[in-house]
């Protein structure tokens, strides 16, 4: 395709775009959207979320519904996901992976079995990453039985309220939500607005994700930040929080060349599914589980105060590159630089000292179990 044939794809705006700007957000392009990267500052927002409650706008994520009148939707989803979808009880959700035929990760996602009578009127609800949602939808349309209908909820906003005081703030606005436990979801209502709320998130803290009509998002977000515990938080702190929690980010720590075994996400493959071997890439994944993968995702605590960033090289004793850092930065709650990297199995044991190279400078890190900060989910 020549340059003059390239299509200039406009950057989209979130339903809360004006709301963010009015609160002083610095906006950046991410996953095809204008998104807030910070308000007061990444460090302050990070620590506020760890201590109180932070409100994140994640409306760029893809929200999908799956229905069918003639086939078992759970069985259909198990043809593309390695998790135990059939075993999900109504109102229960599970982290899973969309895999290609070689076991490579196309996306990581959350899937929920909806209870009967849900406002969504569907069998399953799925949240996929914003940067991959259109590719995910195309892949699902191509691989799932044609009897399964996929609806993209393009008119729904998605908010994440995270932190130890999130439950107090949200319970005042939506009585009864505190009864949810980690990885449970249910329908609620506030002032006539339907809310689908799960006790989940991607910061390692207790918290909730709230799906609601885009036209009602501004009023609800304002009501949340009117609570003394809640402040709006940007993408910058979301990234540092998930890094401290040891949670991978698709497109950085996960990609099509990475398998669940390499990514240390074996928990996402249910025992029943492993034994049956009836999911994409099952043969390769079984071999890697038995004999080890060529490389593995590990956590690193970096010596000194200078962070190493994505792309820094992992070196062997002869200064040859044998791996790569995929995420890195200063961890406010740890008080030191941390990173995730893929390293050969021989270097993956906790306590192993790793040599790294970034912009011609050598750094040292130590392999450390993740998460770097303990998860505080309410189970």
């Amino acid at each position: 395709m020549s340059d003059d044939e390239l299509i200039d794809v406009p950057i989209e705006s979130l339903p809360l775009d004006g709301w963010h700007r009015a609160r002083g957000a610095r906006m950046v392009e991410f996953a095809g959207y204008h998104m807030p990267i910070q308000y007061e500052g990444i460090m302050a927002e990070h620590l506020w979320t760890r201590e109180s409650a932070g409100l994140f706008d994640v409306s760029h994520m893809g929200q999908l519904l799956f229905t069918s009148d003639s086939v078992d939707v759970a069985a259909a989803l198990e043809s593309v996901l390695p998790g135990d979808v059939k075993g999900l009880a109504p109102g229960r959700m599970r982290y899973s992976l969309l895999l290609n035929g070689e076991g490579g990760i196309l996306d990581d996602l959350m899937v929920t079995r909806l209870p009967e009578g849900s406002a969504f009127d569907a069998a399953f609800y799925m949240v996929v990453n914003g940067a991959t949602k259109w590719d995910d939808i195309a892949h699902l349309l191509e691989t799932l039985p044609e009897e399964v209908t996929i609806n993209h909820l393009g008119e729904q906003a998605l908010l994440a309220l995270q932190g130890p005081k999130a439950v107090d703030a949200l319970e005042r606005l939506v009585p009864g939500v505190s009864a949810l436990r980690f990885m449970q979801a249910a329908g609620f209502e506030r002032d006539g607005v339907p809310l689908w709320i799960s006790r989940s998130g991607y910061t390692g803290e207790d918290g909730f994700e709230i799906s609601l009509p885009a036209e009602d998002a501004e009023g609800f977000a304002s009501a949340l930040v009117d609570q003394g515990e809640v402040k709006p938080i940007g993408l910058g702190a979301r990234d540092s929080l998930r890094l401290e929690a040891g949670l991978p980010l698709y497109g950085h720590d996960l990609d099509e060349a990475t398998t669940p075994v390499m990514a240390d996400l074996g928990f996402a493959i249910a025992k029943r599914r492993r034994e049956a071997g009836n999911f994409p890439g099952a043969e390769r994944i079984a071999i890697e589980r038995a004999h080890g993968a060529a490389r593995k995702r590990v956590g690193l605590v970096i010596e000194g105060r200078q962070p190493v960033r994505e792309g820094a090289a992992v070196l062997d004793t002869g200064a040859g590159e044998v791996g790569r850092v995929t995420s890195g930065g200063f961890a406010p709650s740890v008080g030191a630089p941390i990173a995730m990297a893929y390293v050969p199995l021989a270097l993956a044991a906790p306590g192993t000292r790793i040599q790294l190279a970034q912009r011609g400078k050598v750094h040292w890190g130590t392999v450390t179990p993740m998460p770097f900060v303990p998860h505080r989910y309410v189970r």
Side-chain angles (χ1 to χ4, degrees), residues 22-43:
R23 281 160 178 76
R26 182 160 71 86
M27 307 295 283
V28 297
E29 188 276 331
F30 179 80
Y33 288 82
H34 294 289
M35 297 194 66
I37 191 167
Q38 66 180 59
Y39 298 82
E40 299 177 38
I42 293 172
M43 177 85 75

Side-chain angles (χ1 to χ4, degrees), residues 235-260:
L235 275 178
R238 185 167 183 256
D239 191 55
S240 58
L241 288 159
R242 68 89 193 168
L243 179 57
E244 286 186 345
L247 302 173
L249 178 63
Y250 195 85
H252 299 263
D253 311 296
L254 307 175
D255 57 31
E256 290 189 50
T258 305
T259 68

